[in-house]
Amino acid sequence: MEKYNKIYSSSNVSEDIKPSQTISLIWKNFLSGGSILDLGCGQGRDSLFLAKNDFLVTAIDSSEVAINQIKVKKNEFSFDNLELICGDISDFKIENGKYDAIICRNVLNFLDKEKTLKIVNNLKTNSKNGAYIVIDVFTKDDPSFISDNKFVCYFEEQELLKIFSDFKIVYYLENIILDNGHPGFELPHKHGVSKIIVQK
Ligand SMILES: C[S@@+](CC[C@H](N)C(=O)[O-])C[C@H]1O[C@@H](n2cnc3c(N)ncnc32)[C@H](O)[C@@H]1O
């Protein structure tokens, strides 16, 4: 993805391997090892952290800049348990029953809704019984929704809850939150988000 190649080219992977809030919430309480799939892994904060903690991780992103940056860290720390794939998450075939957790954070909004829903259904069908699925998306409450700089698709209120009504809901948050800044948008700003953790 050209936009992200540009953003990541001017932003180094942070020196300390620190996971997202969502992953720091679940990894100790729910995960006890096993295989993790990180769809749209970005610069790999979650994938690197989980690899460091001995999970078997497969991380995919369409930005070759991001994948190459993660590769440097992987080599530096000899993370043989981290598989990196540069590609489109909508083309990735999820092997049935392979993963103990599937992470899909802040990436689905970059695809059109039809592809997004197909991916989510794939996650539902192909995840292992007992596996966790972690999804963060932007909702129509995101300020970008009424701007000229829109994502490709947005989620409705409670949409993720409805989609996963047949799974065990472990955590759900839907709100407008303050983001302190990230590569590509360093200043504090607000996001309308929906975050869900479910168990099959
Ligand atoms: C906002 S970043 C999120 C990164 C990471 N999940 C996180 O939360 O820190 C979005 C990422 O999705 C990737 N991306 C966008 N569309 C994609 C696609 N169709 N397939 C794979 N990656 C994609 C971008 O390259 C970018 O790294």
Side-chain angles (χ1 to χ4, degrees), residues 1 4 8 40-42 61-63 87-89 105-107 110-111:
M1 193 184 215
Y4 272 96
Y8 295 143
C41 61
D61 200 283
S62 55
S63 161
D88 191 320
I89 59 167
R105 298 189 47 257
N106 304 327
V107 59
F110 293 95
L111 293 105

Side-chain angles (χ1 to χ4, degrees), residues 160-171:
L160 284 177
L161 272 183
K162 283 177 198 141
I163 291 174
F164 286 101
S165 58
D166 50 343
F167 280 47
K168 180 179 168 196
I169 311 291
V170 175
Y171 173 83

Side-chain angles (χ1 to χ4, degrees), residues 13 17 38 41-50 59 66 70 82:
V13 178
I17 299 177
D38 187 359
C41 61
Q43 289 175 300
R45 56 188 303 191
D46 290 330
S47 289
L48 286 164
F49 175 81
L50 291 165
I70 305 172
L82 172 57

Side-chain angles (χ1 to χ4, degrees), residues 150-167:
K150 280 178 107 143
F151 288 109
V152 180
C153 80
Y154 288 85
F155 279 69
E156 306 285 343
E157 261 178 40
Q158 311 231 328
E159 188 174 351
L160 284 177
L161 272 183
K162 283 177 198 141
I163 291 174
F164 286 101
S165 58
D166 50 343
F167 280 47

Side-chain angles (χ1 to χ4, degrees), residues 1-197:
M1 193 184 215
E2 228 21 74
K3 175 183 162 190
Y4 272 96
N5 277 338
K6 230 184 194 170
I7 291 172
Y8 295 143
S9 294
S10 53
S11 150
N12 290 330
V13 178
S14 80
E15 269 314 306
D16 50 338
I17 299 177
K18 208 170 151 216
S20 61
Q21 259 185 0
T22 314
I23 295 309
S24 39
L25 182 78
I26 68 158
W27 84 278
K28 244 188 179 156
N29 296 325
F30 300 111
L31 302 173
S32 56
S35 293
I36 313 274
L37 175 63
D38 187 359
L39 295 170
C41 61
Q43 289 175 300
R45 56 188 303 191
D46 290 330
S47 289
L48 286 164
F49 175 81
L50 291 165
K52 188 179 167 198
N53 285 286
D54 298 326
F55 290 87
L56 272 177
V57 183
T58 300
I60 306 168
D61 200 283
S62 55
S63 161
E64 65 266 22
V65 173
I67 293 297
N68 285 332
Q69 288 174 328
I70 305 172
K71 211 172 270 175
V72 171
K73 289 279 169 201
K74 170 184 155 115
N75 294 338
E76 185 184 333
F77 294 103
S78 305
F79 289 152
D80 296 335
N81 51 335
L82 172 57
E83 180 190 20
L84 297 171
I85 300 172
C86 184
D88 191 320
I89 59 167
S90 47
D91 296 332
F92 184 74
K93 302 261 170 302
I94 300 170
E95 196 182 316
N96 191 277
K98 175 168 179 182
Y99 298 102
D100 297 283
I102 303 177
I103 304 166
C104 192
R105 298 189 47 257
N106 304 327
V107 59
L108 293 174
N109 297 82
F110 293 95
L111 293 105
D112 67 46
K113 202 58 186 268
E114 201 184 325
K115 279 189 181 168
T116 294
L117 293 177
K118 216 167 149 191
I119 291 170
V120 174
N121 272 323
N122 250 331
L123 300 188
K124 288 187 72 175
T125 310
N126 291 318
S127 50
K128 202 186 218 173
N129 279 335
Y132 292 93
I133 300 177
V134 179
I135 301 181
D136 289 2
V137 292
F138 300 112
T139 63
K140 286 185 171 169
D141 286 332
D142 194 73
S144 66
F145 185 65
I146 48 161
S147 79
D148 293 335
N149 193 17
K150 280 178 107 143
F151 288 109
V152 180
C153 80
Y154 288 85
F155 279 69
E156 306 285 343
E157 261 178 40
Q158 311 231 328
E159 188 174 351
L160 284 177
L161 272 183
K162 283 177 198 141
I163 291 174
F164 286 101
S165 58
D166 50 343
F167 280 47
K168 180 179 168 196
I169 311 291
V170 175
Y171 173 83
Y172 185 71
L173 169 85
E174 190 175 299
N175 211 339
I176 297 175
I177 59 160
L178 182 70
D179 183 328
N180 286 323
H182 49 75
F185 206 133
E186 312 291 343
L187 294 174
H189 54 282
K190 289 188 174 160
H191 275 306
V193 296
S194 167
K195 294 168 181 273
I196 200 164
I197 302 171

